[in-house]
Amino acid sequence: MIKAGIIGASGYTGGELLRLLVNHPNVKIELATSRSLEGKSITSIHRHLEGFLDLTYENPNSENIKERCDVVFLAVPHGSAMSYVPELLDGATKVVDLSADYRLETSVFEKIYGITHSDPRAVVYGLVELHAEAAEEDLVANPGCFPTGAILAAAPLAAAELIDIAVFDSKTGISGAGISPTEVSHYPNLAENITAYKLTTHRHRAEILQELNRLDQKLININFTPHVIPSIRGIFTTSHFFTNELLTTDDLRMIYEEFYRDKPFIRFPSGVPSLTAVRGSNFCDIGFEVDKENNRVIVLSAIDNLVKGASGQAIQNMNLMFGLDETRGLWLPAAAP
């Protein structure tokens, strides 16, 4: 059994890791940490796990963590993971970092996040559909939630060098803002409302740019605007790709199905993808339509921001790192409606 530890297990991503790992056939949850909740029952915070977990929050040092764990998930704020990683990597313990600390080149990270990086190193970006080399690594940088939906929508066309301009319009459920309530997440402010924010400056654009540039170095006109909607889970991304060739729907289907051949978590449902069809699951559903008059392709993607956008993808990476099938413990249908 793989002994797993979660550092920062009190938030939504930590709770989702616990929910998914508790029934993983190859994993034993060894520990879950929280400095502020040390000694308290995990189920006092994550009440949905009552009857499944009998653990209390701990606050052990890194030496104790790596002695007890084969894999550690870092569900900590940006800027914190870089202090844990050097202490945890010892040739035996593997680490999946769910923060942004290792997703970007160091100079880009420091510019975008305004944090001096104390542990610069090259790390595989853990979007499994594009980076199967994560299987060979001891440290993987788990992608951000918005970039996951956007990159998966664009990757086949970017790899074919067919995109001139990419415009991503993403709508996210409020759980993406974290467990601590804010003015935006206050019910009267969010209900029956939609809020656009950081219209041209959202830091996740850097991840989208980085990964699409790896597929097509000429693709630099990439635009991204996020919105918060009155939903708990999910990210729905409407992508507008202005192409350098006139494409048909049959062309698109062939390009996408070939690119994602043997990628079990990519689906192409009939009609428009739906957030309810992916809620609680690790799937990314993709749909598309051609605007023939404008050399424009509309690609729609739907993911659960807490699963494929965070904790499920982290487990998908863990599976590869330990030589398991990537679907292990994740082959679950969505919770619809």
Side-chain angles (χ1 to χ4, degrees):
M1 295 290 280
I2 300 167
K3 292 182 290 185
I6 302 167
I7 297 180
S10 60
Y12 288 141
T13 55
E16 200 71 350
L17 280 165
L18 291 167
R19 179 182 76 87
L20 293 168
L21 289 173
V22 75
N23 282 322
H24 193 297
N26 299 92
V27 172
K28 175 183 181 293
I29 300 173
E30 176 68 22
L31 62 86
T33 81
S34 171
R35 293 174 182 172
S36 62
L37 299 172
E38 183 179 3
K40 291 189 177 181
S41 167
I42 287 174
T43 56
S44 67
I45 303 299
H46 300 299
R47 298 176 64 182
H48 59 296
L49 299 176
E50 188 73 44
F52 291 91
L53 275 177
D54 186 21
L55 293 174
T56 57
Y57 285 108
E58 302 181 48
N59 186 25
N61 59 35
S62 295
E63 194 66 33
N64 181 269
I65 292 171
K66 69 182 182 181
E67 285 177 359
R68 295 166 59 187
C69 297
D70 302 308
V71 63
V72 176
F73 296 93
L74 295 176
V76 295
H78 308 313
S80 299
M82 64 182 76
S83 64
Y84 285 102
V85 166
E87 298 178 359
L88 292 172
L89 289 180
D90 59 0
T93 304
K94 299 181 186 294
V95 177
V96 181
D97 176 25
L98 282 81
S99 82
D101 287 13
Y102 295 94
R103 295 174 188 162
L104 301 166
E105 293 181 6
T106 301
S107 60
V108 177
F109 172 84
E110 292 181 340
K111 178 182 178 181
I112 297 296
Y113 286 87
I115 300 170
T116 300
H117 208 300
S118 61
D119 182 42
R121 63 175 79 201
V123 178
V124 169
Y125 187 80
L127 187 55
V128 172
E129 286 75 15
L130 301 187
H131 292 286
E133 64 268 28
E136 309 299 324
E137 301 297 317
D138 289 335
L139 169 64
V140 170
N142 211 58
C145 53
F146 280 127
T148 295
I151 295 166
L152 291 175
L157 291 177
E161 299 185 351
L162 288 168
I163 302 174
D164 282 336
I165 302 172
V167 180
F168 298 100
D169 180 313
S170 295
K171 311 291 195 301
T172 183
I174 195 59
S175 59
I179 199 168
S180 299
T182 66
E183 182 178 352
V184 172
S185 64
H186 186 47
Y187 181 79
N189 295 338
L190 182 64
E192 301 180 26
N193 193 14
I194 182 169
T195 303
Y197 65 104
K198 296 183 179 178
L199 306 188
T200 62
T201 60
H202 195 283
R203 55 198 183 187
H204 277 178
R205 179 185 176 274
E207 288 180 51
I208 300 169
L209 179 63
Q210 170 184 276
E211 293 304 304
L212 295 186
N213 275 178
R214 286 174 174 170
L215 298 170
D216 180 2
Q217 294 182 354
K218 301 187 299 299
L219 178 54
I220 57 174
N221 197 338
I222 294 173
N223 309 273
F224 169 63
T225 299
H227 306 71
V228 180
I229 60 175
S231 173
I232 296 171
R233 289 175 179 255
I235 292 179
F236 192 93
T237 298
T238 301
S239 308
H240 305 265
F241 301 132
F242 294 88
T243 60
N244 51 44
E245 293 183 19
L246 182 61
L247 301 172
T248 68
T249 300
D250 288 340
D251 292 334
L252 285 178
R253 184 163 295 280
M254 182 177 67
I255 291 169
Y256 276 76
E257 289 183 349
E258 179 59 31
F259 189 89
Y260 287 126
R261 186 179 300 277
D262 300 324
K263 304 300 182 185
F265 289 114
I266 304 296
R267 303 188 301 189
F268 303 103
S270 59
V272 176
S274 166
L275 290 182
T276 58
V278 296
R279 184 180 297 125
S281 81
N282 199 56
F283 292 104
C284 175
D285 285 358
I286 295 175
F288 36 73
E289 186 169 312
V290 173
D291 175 4
K292 296 179 181 179
E293 295 183 2
N294 295 294
N295 273 26
R296 179 176 63 123
V297 171
I298 301 173
V299 181
L300 310 167
S301 68
I303 63 170
D304 185 314
N305 59 297
L306 295 178
V307 188
K308 183 58 176 170
S311 302
Q313 187 150 241
I315 295 169
Q316 193 178 355
N317 276 299
M318 179 206 73
N319 285 339
L320 288 188
M321 295 164 82
F322 284 88
L324 302 174
D325 187 284
E326 65 185 274
T327 64
R328 196 74 164 160
L330 295 171
W331 197 247
L332 305 167

